[in-house]
């Protein structure tokens, strides 16, 4: 199956100098900030869980830390 380039989603890549967040510090903020900037719906719970859904509803991302202080 081949899809034309016009049907594929745009690839978002941070600039090289903005990739420091890829080395895990166990903080979801950089990823959540990126998803928020891309229009994802983000919901937080009192248990410190974070749920994000893509604008088209086709993708779900959850961050469920075991430590509420995370």
């Amino acid at each position: 199956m081949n899809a034309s380039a016009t049907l594929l989603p745009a690839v978002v890549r941070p600039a090289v100098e903005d990739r420091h967040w890829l080395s895990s510090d166990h903080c979801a903020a950089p990823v959540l900030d990126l998803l928020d900037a891309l229009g994802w719906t983000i919901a937080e719970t009192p248990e410190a869980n974070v749920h994000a859904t893509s604008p088209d509803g086709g993708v779900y991302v959850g961050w469920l830390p075991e430590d509420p202080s995370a």
Side-chain angles (χ1 to χ4, degrees), residues 5-55:
T6 58
L7 297 177
L8 299 175
V11 176
V12 177
R13 296 188 207 289
V16 173
E17 59 273 2
D18 293 334
R19 293 185 185 178
H20 67 278
W21 60 271
L22 292 172
S23 60
S24 179
D25 61 359
H26 306 289
C27 177
V31 174
L32 294 173
D33 290 344
L34 174 64
L35 296 179
D36 186 45
L38 293 173
W40 287 49
T41 301
I42 298 176
E44 299 179 32
T45 69
E47 296 83 17
N49 298 329
V50 181
H51 307 274
T53 306
S54 64

Side-chain angles (χ1 to χ4, degrees), residues 49-64:
N49 298 329
V50 181
H51 307 274
T53 306
S54 64
D56 67 358
V59 179
Y60 164 83
V61 173
W63 192 63
L64 315 169

